[in-house]
Amino acid sequence: MNKEKFKYSMLCLILFLIMPLSASANMVWPSLYIAEGMRSWYVILIGLLIEIIFVKFFLKESYLKSVLIAFIMNLASTVLGVVVIPLSGFIGEVLMIPFGTGTFHPTHWLMSYVFAILSNVLIEGLTIKIIFRKEFKKMFWWLCVANAISVIICILFHGIVMQNINI
């Protein structure tokens, strides 16, 4: 690939990544609420505690190493999730266009919930695989359960209680 095509590709990628956060914010509100809530200290703390327990139980590591693994994978999912979760919500909203339901329809919240879980599982699973050399396939389902609990806590507390959103 020549330099000009590479520059153009990078510009398109950057524009695509920031698009759901600004121009299309009205289309991805459920995902933006989830992404914002996942950065809240109480959601991070609860998610960290949940995942320490899951790491300890399923990876059978010491308590100290379980804390380290959970901390690093949550750091990665917090930093990357700010972009990845709204981006997954944008993709999901595009997929929902043929159904003609509104942005805050329960199906959109459900889709955003599932996409947020899968985004976190992908980020956290790959982090554990790359840094701690664990097999991703063996972690997939328990990471799904741990993240399902964390994301529903985020939605229920941040999205509904704090923002008075009607689902």
Side-chain angles (χ1 to χ4, degrees):
M1 180 183 296
N2 64 33
K3 286 184 180 182
E4 197 60 38
K5 282 185 180 179
F6 180 75
K7 287 179 186 178
Y8 179 73
S9 298
M10 288 295 105
L11 176 63
C12 288
L13 177 64
I14 291 168
L15 290 174
F16 183 69
L17 289 175
I18 63 172
M19 186 173 56
L21 300 176
S22 58
S24 297
N26 63 336
M27 263 182 50
V28 294
W29 277 120
S31 293
L32 287 175
Y33 273 108
I34 293 169
E36 181 65 27
M38 295 302 283
R39 292 184 356 204
S40 303
W41 68 268
Y42 47 86
V43 173
I44 292 171
L45 182 61
I46 292 168
L48 192 59
L49 292 173
I50 290 167
E51 289 180 352
I52 288 170
I53 293 166
F54 275 76
V55 168
K56 174 70 179 140
F57 183 78
F58 288 102
L59 293 183
K60 302 191 183 338
E61 297 288 351
S62 68
Y63 284 107
L64 185 60
K65 190 160 183 185
S66 297
V67 169
L68 179 65
I69 291 170
F71 177 78
I72 290 174
M73 70 186 204
N74 275 282
L75 180 64
S77 67
T78 299
V79 171
L80 297 174
V82 171
V83 173
V84 174
I85 291 173
L87 180 61
S88 73
F90 178 76
I91 292 166
E93 290 295 330
V94 169
L95 295 174
M96 295 294 281
I97 289 173
F99 301 103
T101 55
T103 299
F104 285 104
H105 190 270
T107 57
H108 292 248
W109 275 99
L110 179 62
M111 180 218 36
S112 294
Y113 172 67
V114 170
F115 278 27
I117 292 167
L118 293 175
S119 297
N120 282 340
V121 167
L122 183 64
I123 294 166
E124 292 174 356
L126 290 176
T127 300
I128 296 172
K129 178 181 176 158
I130 292 167
I131 295 175
F132 298 100
R133 308 280 190 238
K134 304 290 182 182
E135 190 176 338
F136 183 75
K137 286 192 287 187
K138 292 183 178 180
M139 296 180 291
F140 180 79
W141 289 110
W142 66 261
L143 277 172
C144 281
V145 172
N147 279 287
I149 296 167
S150 297
V151 174
I152 199 67
I153 288 170
C154 171
I155 291 171
L156 292 175
F157 190 76
H158 184 76
I160 296 172
V161 175
M162 298 298 286
Q163 301 296 328
N164 297 316
I165 295 173
N166 296 319
I167 294 180

